Amino acid sequence: MSASSKTLRLRFDLPKKEGIGEACVLVYEMADGFSLVVTAEHGGDADISLTRAEFAQLQQRLAEVVT
C-alpha cells in the first residue's frame, strides 16, 4: 500500500437522527493507520452521538477490521 493510498475498510450506516438526518462512519486503512470520516445528510461532516447499542456495534465492526 503506497503512502498516499487509502482503502475503504468499513462503512457503518447510522439511522436517521434529529437535526442531521442519515449519517455514516467511513473507516479507511492507510499505510500508517486508519482514517475515520463521519458524514451527515444535513450539514456535511458532523459530531454524532451514538447510543450504547450503536457504539457496541461500531466497536464490533472495528474489531473485525483490525483483526
Side-chain angles (χ1 to χ4, degrees):
M1 185 180 304
S2 71
S4 63
S5 69
K6 290 177 18 174
T7 303
L8 180 62
R9 296 297 306 255
L10 170 67
R11 178 187 172 118
F12 184 75
D13 293 307
L14 300 166
K16 284 189 176 185
K17 294 186 182 283
E18 187 175 329
I20 63 169
E22 293 179 354
C24 71
V25 177
L26 303 173
V27 179
Y28 292 94
E29 185 174 6
M30 302 178 304
D32 60 349
F34 293 89
S35 169
L36 278 70
V37 178
V38 180
T39 64
E41 181 179 10
H42 304 296
D45 295 349
D47 180 4
I48 298 172
S49 298
L50 301 175
T51 66
R52 289 186 181 275
E54 290 167 342
F55 188 75
Q57 289 175 352
L58 178 57
Q59 286 179 306
Q60 179 181 7
R61 297 288 307 274
L62 286 171
E64 294 170 22
V65 170
V66 175
T67 58

